[in-house]
Amino acid sequence: MRLIRVRYRSGQNFLEHYENTFVYGGVFYPTREALQVGTPVAIEIRFPGLTNRVLIRGSVEWRRAGRHSLGLRAGLGIAFAGADVARRDFLLRVARGEVPQAVVVHRRFRRFPVNTPAHWRDKAATSARAGTIADIGPGGAFVSDGTSLPSPGSDVVLTITPPGASLPLDVEGRVAWVRAANGFALEFKTRDVGGLRRIKEVVRRLTHVSLPA
């Protein structure tokens, strides 16, 4: 998957580049680089008012050569993935000024979009439930699970098998918030530098598959 970084001058500038003709929305990305139609991408979006850079998955739907005489810029039409509609909606709300600055929380670590099977359980429980990690960073992850959700503030153990690992790894965390019928956000708990280092290595392995350097 190709990583694309783009910064818009303002929320209005983002809206001017937004493409609502795609099923799940998308953006026009000005560039002369000729990526093939169908190329999967993760686009990192930034604009003033958006405290954190937002990574959203998609694919190249069309490309356009520039036409100076008509005032057309060369670029790509990138359609957002259906799995990332929550991020799309968040971007649109911030760009329109519908999200108070107070709730746009700054994260210490970036999150990367992935699609990784995992299991989770309440720390006091013995049986685990299947879920999918939708995004992850050294500070936490979002776990998709439409069948059963933990309570906000509860302690959870997330079991991940990173690519290339022979054994699964358990990571403890606290549930920061829950999105009904969708999943929950988990803040990782590390007791020492070694624990953070292990989590960073897990993140590196997972995101290397989706977002090679």
Side-chain angles (χ1 to χ4, degrees):
M1 181 177 289
R2 177 67 180 275
L3 176 62
I4 293 174
R5 295 183 173 93
V6 58
R7 179 166 187 155
Y8 297 100
R9 297 188 304 274
S10 63
Q12 180 60 38
N13 187 229
F14 166 75
L15 294 175
E16 291 168 356
H17 286 79
Y18 183 74
E19 291 284 341
N20 60 11
T21 55
F22 300 132
V23 175
Y24 301 109
V27 291
F28 171 69
Y29 173 57
T31 181
R32 292 189 178 279
E33 185 177 5
L35 290 182
Q36 294 296 320
V37 171
T39 300
V41 300
I43 183 166
E44 181 185 88
I45 296 174
R46 300 179 66 185
F47 55 79
L50 190 66
T51 305
N52 302 291
R53 293 167 289 189
V54 174
L55 273 168
I56 185 166
R57 289 166 291 189
S59 60
V60 176
E61 290 296 303
W62 49 260
R63 59 182 183 180
R64 183 178 74 194
R67 294 186 179 182
H68 182 73
S69 60
L70 298 178
L72 293 178
R73 300 181 66 184
L76 304 172
I78 299 177
F80 293 153
D84 285 348
V85 291
R87 290 191 182 91
R88 176 208 63 189
D89 291 346
F90 176 72
L91 285 169
L92 290 172
R93 290 199 303 271
V94 175
R96 293 167 180 159
E98 299 172 358
V99 177
Q101 188 64 32
V103 305
V104 184
V105 181
H106 175 71
R107 284 177 177 162
R108 180 184 174 192
F109 298 107
R110 293 169 61 192
R111 294 281 184 89
F112 297 89
V114 295
N115 186 23
T116 304
H119 288 81
W120 67 271
R121 62 177 174 83
D122 288 327
K123 189 174 180 180
T126 56
S127 59
R129 298 180 180 275
T132 302
I133 301 175
D135 66 36
I136 192 169
F142 183 81
V143 182
S144 297
D145 187 340
T147 60
S148 179
L149 298 172
S151 301
S154 60
D155 291 330
V156 164
V157 177
L158 184 66
T159 302
I160 313 168
T161 303
S166 57
L167 296 173
L169 175 69
D170 288 342
V171 181
E172 292 187 19
R174 182 186 67 85
V175 178
W177 49 267
V178 174
R179 184 180 295 143
N182 190 330
F184 59 93
L186 191 66
E187 294 180 348
F188 294 147
K189 296 166 61 176
T190 54
R191 298 185 178 89
D192 52 34
V193 176
L196 179 58
R197 187 179 298 114
R198 286 190 294 273
I199 290 176
K200 285 184 175 180
E201 176 59 20
V202 170
V203 173
R204 188 194 68 79
R205 292 193 184 192
L206 291 178
T207 56
H208 179 74
V209 173
S210 298
L211 299 173

